Amino acid sequence: MSCCFDSPSSHIPGSQAGAGTSTTAIHGGLEPDPLTGALVMPMVQSTTFVQEAVGKSRGHAYSRVSNPTVSVLEAQLGALEGALPAVCFVTGLAAETAVFLALLKAGDHVVLGDVIYGGTVRLVGQVLSELGITSTFVDASVAENVRGALRPETRLIFIESPANPTLKLTDIKAVADIGRAAGVRVAVDNTFLTPVIQRPLDLGVDVCVYSTTKHIEGHSTAIGGSVVSRDEALLDRVRFLRKCTGGIQAAFGAWLTTNGVKTLPLRLKQHSANALDLAKALHANPHVASVNYPGLEDHPQHELAQRQHLGGIHGGVLSFEVVGGTDAAVKVLNSTRLCLLVEHLGGIETLLTHPVTMTHADVPREHRLVVGIPDGLIRVSVGLEDVADIIADLEQAISIAHAESATRTGGAGARAAEGVLR
Ligand SMILES: *Cc1c(COP(=O)(O)O)cnc(C)c1O
C-alpha cells in the first residue's frame, strides 16, 4: 500500500479500463487516506477549510460548495458509470431539481414519461409550472409517443425505466436517438436499476439522476441524490446551481453512501435473483391476477429487458395484483410477518407498498387504471432475506386475504379468483 502514499493519485485500481463492475464499486475513485493510511476514507465533518494563503487552498473552502467526503462519493459514483465525477445532493429530488433548473428556463417545455416517480410529477406540475415551464406526460414505453410530444420549445426529455410501480420499460436508446435528432437533451432517472444493471449514458443519454437513498446506499440509513454525466459543461452548471440553492449532501450521508456503493453489484445480483424467484412463485399463485417483472419471460417487454439490462438480471422491484382489489391488498399488507410496509425501496429488507393508498393516492382512479395501477396492486422491493422465507411470508398473507374475501362473499371470491386466471 505504501506506493499509494508516495503518489496518492497515481494508481486507482478500479479506474483501470476494463475493470469489472464489482472491482470498480470497491476500488473506483477510492484510495487509502493519504494522511493516516486508513483503508476507509475518514469522514470530514468540518464546515470550513483553512486557506494556506490568499488565493491558495487545498481545493475546499466551505462545505456548501464542496466537501472532501462528498468528493470521495462523487469520484466513486462517476467511476462506477464511466463518467466524470458525479455531483451529489442531499436528496434525489434536490438532484432532479438541479437538472431541471440547469436545462430549463421560463418558456421551455419538457416531455416526461407518464409513470414516473410521484415526487417528480409534483415538482414539474406544481413548482416548475409556476416558473413558466410547461410539460407533457406521455406513455414513453412507446418511444414514438415521445417524438410526437416534442414542440419547438422542448428542451428536455425526462424518462424513468422501469416505471414505478408498473415495471413498464422505455427503450432508452430509441428515446436518446429521438432527442439527439431533435436537439433536445435526454435525462434518465436510473434509481431502480443503477449503473450496475443499466447504463443510459452508454445508450446516448445526456445525464442520469439518482436517488442514492435507494439501492445505491442500500441500507436505509442515508438520504441522497446524484447527477452523473460525461458533459463537463452541464455538470459545471449543476454544481453552480447546487452552490446557489444549497442542496449539497451532508458529509455523514455521503460517507455512509460510499460504503454502501461497495456492495451494490453484489446486492443487486441477489436482489434480482430473489425477485425472479418471487415473481415465479406469485405467477403460479391462483389468487394473484398478474405479476409485473421484466425478468419473467411473459413480461410484454422481456426482449427489451434482455437487450437493455446488463448481466442478465433485472433488479429487485416487482409488482403484482392480488385478486380482490383494495380490500384484499390491504389485508395482504396487514398480514405479512417478515415483509415490511413502507414508502421506500432498495433496502436490504423486503419492503411492500400499496400504491393506490400510499405513493399514488393523489392520482385519480381513472388515470391509475389507464396507466396500469389497479386497486389490488402491491409493489415489492425484494430484499436479501432467504427467498424461501420471503415467498412463504407473502403466500401466507395472500392466503389469509383470500380466505377472508371467500368468507365475506360466501365462496364467490374464490370462484372469482379462479376466473381471473383461467
Ligand atoms: C425515491 C425516488 C426519488 C426521490 O428521491 P429522494 O431521495 O427521496 O428525494 C426519485 N426517483 C425515484 C425513482 C425514486 O424512487
Side-chain angles (χ1 to χ4, degrees):
M1 289 246 163
S2 63
C3 68
C4 303
F5 302 134
D6 300 334
S7 176
S9 58
S10 65
H11 183 61
I12 303 172
S15 297
Q16 278 176 343
T21 311
S22 291
T23 306
T24 306
I26 293 169
H27 295 286
L30 300 176
E31 55 195 5
D33 177 25
L35 223 55
T36 63
L39 171 66
V40 175
M41 231 2 186
M43 180 177 60
V44 178
Q45 270 288 67
S46 189
T47 59
T48 309
F49 301 85
V50 176
Q51 316 287 303
E52 287 165 14
V54 175
K56 194 160 173 255
S57 78
R58 294 198 201 179
H60 299 283
Y62 184 58
S63 284
R64 172 164 40 74
V65 181
S66 69
N67 168 280
T69 306
V70 177
S71 297
V72 168
L73 175 61
E74 293 176 339
Q76 194 183 19
L77 292 176
L80 191 62
E81 202 151 352
L84 295 164
V87 185
C88 286
F89 288 83
V90 70
T91 65
L93 274 177
E96 282 187 32
T97 302
V99 166
F100 285 129
L101 293 181
L103 295 173
L104 299 169
K105 59 180 187 327
D108 290 347
H109 174 247
V110 51
V111 177
L112 304 101
D114 64 354
V115 188
I116 56 174
Y117 182 68
T120 309
V121 176
R122 191 170 51 217
L123 173 62
V124 170
Q126 298 183 44
V127 180
L128 298 187
S129 61
E130 297 289 306
L131 303 177
I133 295 161
T134 55
S135 57
T136 305
F137 292 84
V138 298
D139 177 359
S141 70
V142 179
E144 282 309 308
N145 291 342
V146 173
R147 194 197 306 276
L150 296 178
R151 300 182 193 162
E153 65 273 22
T154 306
R155 292 289 169 271
L156 178 65
I157 298 165
F158 188 100
I159 54 174
E160 191 177 318
S161 182
N164 171 19
T166 61
L167 280 294
K168 254 202 241 178
L169 306 185
T170 292
D171 185 334
I172 294 174
K173 182 170 183 312
V175 172
D177 290 347
I178 289 169
R180 189 170 329 98
V184 174
R185 303 290 203 125
V186 180
V188 173
D189 182 337
N190 199 28
T191 298
F192 264 47
L193 295 183
T194 83
V196 172
I197 302 183
Q198 180 165 273
R199 312 244 311 193
L201 299 179
D202 290 350
L203 302 173
V205 158
D206 296 285
V207 57
C208 290
V209 294
Y210 294 92
S211 170
T212 58
T213 315
K214 311 295 168 54
H215 284 297
I216 290 180
E217 190 277 329
H219 301 75
S220 306
T221 55
I223 301 260
S226 66
V227 176
V228 179
S229 177
R230 294 172 185 155
D231 180 336
E232 182 112 56
L234 173 56
L235 291 175
D236 282 347
R237 179 74 187 159
V238 167
R239 225 175 272 117
F240 174 74
L241 283 160
R242 184 180 68 176
K243 174 167 83 173
C244 295
T245 58
I248 196 171
Q249 188 163 28
F252 189 37
W255 187 81
L256 289 167
T257 306
T258 65
N259 290 323
V261 170
K262 296 170 191 172
T263 56
L264 179 64
L266 179 65
R267 282 187 282 111
L268 278 174
K269 269 182 217 155
Q270 194 60 44
H271 280 299
S272 300
N274 286 0
L276 183 59
D277 285 354
L278 176 63
K280 286 178 180 164
L282 290 170
H283 199 263
N285 190 307
H287 311 304
V288 171
S290 60
V291 181
N292 305 309
Y293 186 63
L296 285 180
E297 272 163 29
D298 75 347
H299 185 282
Q301 295 163 297
H302 183 62
E303 185 270 326
L304 172 60
Q306 298 283 70
R307 185 156 36 93
Q308 188 157 277
H309 302 167
L310 304 169
I313 58 174
H314 304 283
V317 182
L318 61 81
S319 61
F320 69 96
E321 184 189 2
V322 62
V323 172
T326 299
D327 284 354
V330 167
K331 192 70 206 171
V332 169
L333 293 165
N334 288 341
S335 304
T336 56
R337 297 172 192 148
L338 176 68
C339 305
L340 303 167
L341 182 63
V342 298
E343 293 213 19
H344 181 46
L345 61 91
I348 53 177
E349 304 85 359
T350 296
L351 306 172
L352 306 178
T353 303
H354 183 222
V356 169
T357 56
M358 297 166 72
T359 49
H360 292 65
D362 293 348
V363 181
R365 185 163 188 272
E366 312 78 69
H367 179 65
R368 272 201 288 103
L369 294 178
V370 169
V371 299
I373 309 177
D375 297 338
L377 195 75
I378 293 173
R379 186 186 75 194
V380 190
S381 173
V382 185
L384 301 180
E385 302 93 341
D386 294 286
V387 71
D389 295 333
I390 302 170
I391 292 171
D393 188 41
L394 277 166
E395 283 185 339
Q396 64 83 25
I398 291 168
S399 296
I400 291 172
H402 172 67
E404 289 231 340
S405 87
T407 317
R408 249 198 330 273
T409 58
R415 286 191 294 278
E418 305 297 323
V420 166
L421 252 180
R422 306 239 149 67

